[in-house]
Amino acid sequence: MRKLTFTVLCFCLSLFSGCQKTTPAVDIEAEKGQIQSVLSNYVASVENEDLDLYAKCLAHDADMVNFGSMGEPIVGWEALQKVMEDQNAALAETKITVAGTKIYVSEDGKLAWATCLWDFGAKMAESPVLLPVRCTWVLEKREGRWVIIHFHKSMAMK
C-alpha cells in the first residue's frame, strides 16, 4: 500500500509541475535597448520642440504626476502638454547632454526605471541658461511598447 501511495503521490506531483503556467523569459538587454530609445526620443523631442514625438514617449494618463526641475507637480497629460508648449515658447536652441544613464527592468519585463544626469542648455530671451539636472524615469510596457508613466527632475547642486 505504501508503494502505491508513493507512486500516486509522485504521479500527482509530476502532473502538477507539468501543468504550471510558465512565463517566457524576458530579454532584459533588449528591453533596456528599447527603453534607451524612448529616453533618447524624449531628449530629441525636447531639443527639437517636437510635441508629436514627445507625445509618443509618454503615457496620456489624466492622473499621472510628474515633477519638472522647478515649480509645482504636473498632474495629467493635458497639463504636461501645456508645460511643454510654454517651455517651447520661452526657450530656444535647447541642447541636452546626457550622462550616466542607468536602466533597470523588472523580472517580468513590464516595469522599468532609469536615472541619468543632464546638462540642460538653452537660450531665454537671448540669455544663456545652463542647468545641471538629475532625472528619474518610470516606464511601463503598454501594448508592446515602453512609455514614460512618471518622471522626476531636480536641480543638481555642483
Side-chain angles (χ1 to χ4, degrees), residues 20-21 24 27 43 47 55 59 69 85-86 125 130:
Q20 285 183 320
K21 186 177 179 180
D27 184 344
V43 168
E47 288 180 328
S69 56
E85 289 168 358
D86 292 348
L130 182 58

Side-chain angles (χ1 to χ4, degrees), residues 23-55:
T23 55
V26 175
D27 184 344
I28 298 295
E29 291 308 310
E31 299 300 333
K32 285 181 178 183
Q34 292 174 25
I35 292 162
Q36 180 59 60
S37 180
V38 171
L39 298 177
S40 295
N41 284 339
Y42 181 96
V43 168
S45 73
V46 173
E47 288 180 328
N48 298 314
E49 299 180 8
D50 185 342
L51 292 177
D52 291 333
L53 181 58
Y54 189 83

